[in-house]
Structures are given as C-alpha cells and as structure tokens.
Amino acid sequence: MIKMKKVILIVASLLLGLQAHAQLAADGGYMHAFENGKGSVLGITATNARGWDGFFVGGRYNIGLDNVVNGLSVDPGANVSFLWSRYSNTSVGREIAINVPIHLVYSLDIMSDVKVKFLAGPTLQMGLLNNLVDRSNNSTTTYNMYKETTLGSARTPFNLFLGVGAGIEVADAIRVKVGFDFGLLNTTTATNATLHRNILKIGVGYIF
C-alpha cells in the first residue's frame, strides 16, 4: 500500500510538472499537397502529379519536457484542412479532413525572446469529404471519391504522415513554422496502382 501511494504521488507530481510547462496555441496556414500515382488512378501517373492547395486551422498543446531534456517538448494538436485540386478544365476536387499531429519539438534559444524550433513526428489524417465535381456536358455531377467505383477507383479516407519541420518563436507568443509531411499509406483502392501524398505546410501560431 505504501509503495502504491508513492507511485501515485510520483505520477501526480509528473503530471503537475508537465501542466506547469504546458502552452496552448492556435495555429493555421497554407498547405500544398503533392500526389504521385503509379498505374491508372483517375489519370494520375508517376509523371502526371496532381497538386492540391488550401489551408488548415486548429490548435496545439505544447507540453514541456525540460525535466527530461532541456529544451525538449511534445506538441500534440488537431486541425481541419481544406484543399482544392483541378483535375481538368471542367472538373475539380474538394477535400476536408481532420488531422492529428503529434510532434517532438526541440527549442534552442538564439537571442533574447527568440527561439529556433525543430520538430518531427507523425500525423494521423481522417478524411471527412473528398468530392470530384464534374461540370462537363452542360451539367454538374458530384462524385464521392471515398465511395466511387464507376470512375475505376476510390480513395481511402485514412492516411499516416511522418513529418519534419522548423520554425521560430518570438516573445513566447508568435510562432512561424515550415514543415513537410511524407505520406506513408496508399490512398487508392485501384487494382495494381498506388497513390501517395506528401504535404508542404507553412503556418503561423499564437500562444495563449
């Protein structure tokens, strides 16, 4: 019983210590997704990549781990992304997804009130909507790409990214970051084909 009480006290002390070093931040910014396909996936091939442009908005909760390594922290968060892509002159793609990044961050003081930050870690993605809107033949047809089969393939709503990035934090209030996420999963159901996505992100955050 005494040992169990000691364990509880230690865990509680660690949690309180982490909360004392925690910071909540709102962030958002620009995203560009690069898609590379192999095989026949809606006309996408290895030499014919599709680009998606859009933005994300969300928040992060930075938890300091200075008691482990000075300058180290973990940065879990969640955001919603909105992307658009042009498949042809008459058809466009629209996507909405929820993203959950969990990054390990190392901060380095370079001058008073200015820090350089390096980050790395996974991001889980769950797609909420991915539509292809076709306005050819004097009509508008919308395809749900998570269920579509008449076009030869469908997309999968889940993805896993491994990302790296760097940024600057000023006066413990403003963060500017650039990151690149490498997509690890095949996102098409097409037979004998693959479709992978990498993402470039440029974001700005405000720490409360």
Side-chain angles (χ1 to χ4, degrees), residues 12 22 67 75 108 134 142 152 160-161 179 204 207:
N67 56 335
D75 204 22
L108 183 65
D134 185 4
T142 300
L160 174 64
F161 298 91
V204 177
I207 304 169

PDB file of all heavy atoms in Angstrom, residues 12 22 67 75 108 134 142 152 160-161 179 204 207:
ATOM      1  N   ALA A  12       1.497  11.901 -10.007  1.00  0.00           N
ATOM      2  CA  ALA A  12       0.807  13.181  -9.849  1.00  0.00           C
ATOM      3  C   ALA A  12       1.783  14.343  -9.963  1.00  0.00           C
ATOM      4  O   ALA A  12       1.482  15.368 -10.583  1.00  0.00           O
ATOM      5  CB  ALA A  12       0.083  13.221  -8.508  1.00  0.00           C
ATOM      6  N   ALA A  22       2.982  23.608 -19.777  1.00  0.00           N
ATOM      7  CA  ALA A  22       2.145  23.452 -20.963  1.00  0.00           C
ATOM      8  C   ALA A  22       1.710  24.807 -21.502  1.00  0.00           C
ATOM      9  O   ALA A  22       1.484  25.754 -20.744  1.00  0.00           O
ATOM     10  CB  ALA A  22       0.922  22.606 -20.632  1.00  0.00           C
ATOM     11  N   ASN A  67      12.327  18.596 -17.730  1.00  0.00           N
ATOM     12  CA  ASN A  67      12.824  17.727 -16.661  1.00  0.00           C
ATOM     13  C   ASN A  67      13.473  16.462 -17.222  1.00  0.00           C
ATOM     14  O   ASN A  67      14.156  15.738 -16.504  1.00  0.00           O
ATOM     15  CB  ASN A  67      11.693  17.353 -15.702  1.00  0.00           C
ATOM     16  CG  ASN A  67      10.516  16.712 -16.419  1.00  0.00           C
ATOM     17  OD1 ASN A  67      10.314  16.941 -17.601  1.00  0.00           O
ATOM     18  ND2 ASN A  67       9.748  15.926 -15.697  1.00  0.00           N
ATOM     19  N   ASP A  75       4.308  18.075 -28.718  1.00  0.00           N
ATOM     20  CA  ASP A  75       3.405  19.085 -29.266  1.00  0.00           C
ATOM     21  C   ASP A  75       2.208  18.423 -29.948  1.00  0.00           C
ATOM     22  O   ASP A  75       2.102  18.433 -31.177  1.00  0.00           O
ATOM     23  CB  ASP A  75       4.185  19.938 -30.269  1.00  0.00           C
ATOM     24  CG  ASP A  75       3.587  21.317 -30.455  1.00  0.00           C
ATOM     25  OD1 ASP A  75       2.870  21.772 -29.559  1.00  0.00           O
ATOM     26  OD2 ASP A  75       3.839  21.934 -31.506  1.00  0.00           O
ATOM     27  N   LEU A 108      15.763  25.919 -29.211  1.00  0.00           N
ATOM     28  CA  LEU A 108      17.115  26.436 -28.989  1.00  0.00           C
ATOM     29  C   LEU A 108      17.053  27.949 -28.930  1.00  0.00           C
ATOM     30  O   LEU A 108      16.600  28.606 -29.877  1.00  0.00           O
ATOM     31  CB  LEU A 108      18.041  25.986 -30.122  1.00  0.00           C
ATOM     32  CG  LEU A 108      19.520  26.377 -30.008  1.00  0.00           C
ATOM     33  CD1 LEU A 108      20.155  25.697 -28.802  1.00  0.00           C
ATOM     34  CD2 LEU A 108      20.263  25.987 -31.286  1.00  0.00           C
ATOM     35  N   ASP A 134     -17.726  17.426 -61.541  1.00  0.00           N
ATOM     36  CA  ASP A 134     -17.553  17.424 -62.999  1.00  0.00           C
ATOM     37  C   ASP A 134     -18.633  18.306 -63.628  1.00  0.00           C
ATOM     38  O   ASP A 134     -19.829  18.061 -63.454  1.00  0.00           O
ATOM     39  CB  ASP A 134     -17.665  15.989 -63.515  1.00  0.00           C
ATOM     40  CG  ASP A 134     -17.371  15.893 -65.012  1.00  0.00           C
ATOM     41  OD1 ASP A 134     -17.010  16.925 -65.617  1.00  0.00           O
ATOM     42  OD2 ASP A 134     -17.505  14.797 -65.565  1.00  0.00           O
ATOM     43  N   THR A 142     -21.485  15.346 -59.108  1.00  0.00           N
ATOM     44  CA  THR A 142     -20.576  15.263 -57.971  1.00  0.00           C
ATOM     45  C   THR A 142     -20.361  13.804 -57.586  1.00  0.00           C
ATOM     46  O   THR A 142     -21.316  13.063 -57.356  1.00  0.00           O
ATOM     47  CB  THR A 142     -21.130  16.037 -56.764  1.00  0.00           C
ATOM     48  OG1 THR A 142     -21.299  17.413 -57.122  1.00  0.00           O
ATOM     49  CG2 THR A 142     -20.164  15.957 -55.584  1.00  0.00           C
ATOM     50  N   GLY A 152     -13.479   3.914 -61.735  1.00  0.00           N
ATOM     51  CA  GLY A 152     -12.380   2.952 -61.774  1.00  0.00           C
ATOM     52  C   GLY A 152     -11.651   2.770 -60.459  1.00  0.00           C
ATOM     53  O   GLY A 152     -10.939   1.791 -60.275  1.00  0.00           O
ATOM     54  N   LEU A 160      -1.441   8.266 -42.978  1.00  0.00           N
ATOM     55  CA  LEU A 160      -0.460   8.444 -41.911  1.00  0.00           C
ATOM     56  C   LEU A 160       0.757   9.124 -42.504  1.00  0.00           C
ATOM     57  O   LEU A 160       1.307   8.662 -43.508  1.00  0.00           O
ATOM     58  CB  LEU A 160      -0.073   7.095 -41.303  1.00  0.00           C
ATOM     59  CG  LEU A 160       1.056   7.113 -40.265  1.00  0.00           C
ATOM     60  CD1 LEU A 160       0.640   7.913 -39.032  1.00  0.00           C
ATOM     61  CD2 LEU A 160       1.450   5.693 -39.877  1.00  0.00           C
ATOM     62  N   PHE A 161       1.164  10.232 -41.885  1.00  0.00           N
ATOM     63  CA  PHE A 161       2.307  11.002 -42.368  1.00  0.00           C
ATOM     64  C   PHE A 161       3.423  10.984 -41.328  1.00  0.00           C
ATOM     65  O   PHE A 161       3.168  10.902 -40.123  1.00  0.00           O
ATOM     66  CB  PHE A 161       1.915  12.463 -42.624  1.00  0.00           C
ATOM     67  CG  PHE A 161       0.864  12.643 -43.685  1.00  0.00           C
ATOM     68  CD1 PHE A 161      -0.479  12.663 -43.350  1.00  0.00           C
ATOM     69  CD2 PHE A 161       1.215  12.805 -45.016  1.00  0.00           C
ATOM     70  CE1 PHE A 161      -1.456  12.841 -44.316  1.00  0.00           C
ATOM     71  CE2 PHE A 161       0.249  12.981 -45.987  1.00  0.00           C
ATOM     72  CZ  PHE A 161      -1.084  12.999 -45.640  1.00  0.00           C
ATOM     73  N   GLY A 179       6.942  23.030 -42.528  1.00  0.00           N
ATOM     74  CA  GLY A 179       7.074  21.595 -42.347  1.00  0.00           C
ATOM     75  C   GLY A 179       6.777  20.829 -43.619  1.00  0.00           C
ATOM     76  O   GLY A 179       6.136  21.345 -44.544  1.00  0.00           O
ATOM     77  N   VAL A 204       1.377  29.819 -39.057  1.00  0.00           N
ATOM     78  CA  VAL A 204       1.609  30.851 -38.037  1.00  0.00           C
ATOM     79  C   VAL A 204       0.737  30.522 -36.840  1.00  0.00           C
ATOM     80  O   VAL A 204      -0.439  30.143 -36.990  1.00  0.00           O
ATOM     81  CB  VAL A 204       1.262  32.256 -38.574  1.00  0.00           C
ATOM     82  CG1 VAL A 204       1.440  33.297 -37.470  1.00  0.00           C
ATOM     83  CG2 VAL A 204       2.106  32.609 -39.783  1.00  0.00           C
ATOM     84  N   ILE A 207       0.425  31.898 -29.177  1.00  0.00           N
ATOM     85  CA  ILE A 207       0.449  31.190 -27.898  1.00  0.00           C
ATOM     86  C   ILE A 207      -0.338  31.979 -26.848  1.00  0.00           C
ATOM     87  O   ILE A 207      -0.092  33.174 -26.637  1.00  0.00           O
ATOM     88  CB  ILE A 207       1.892  30.996 -27.416  1.00  0.00           C
ATOM     89  CG1 ILE A 207       2.717  30.270 -28.483  1.00  0.00           C
ATOM     90  CG2 ILE A 207       1.929  30.235 -26.095  1.00  0.00           C
ATOM     91  CD1 ILE A 207       4.192  30.264 -28.196  1.00  0.00           C
TER      92      ILE A 207
END
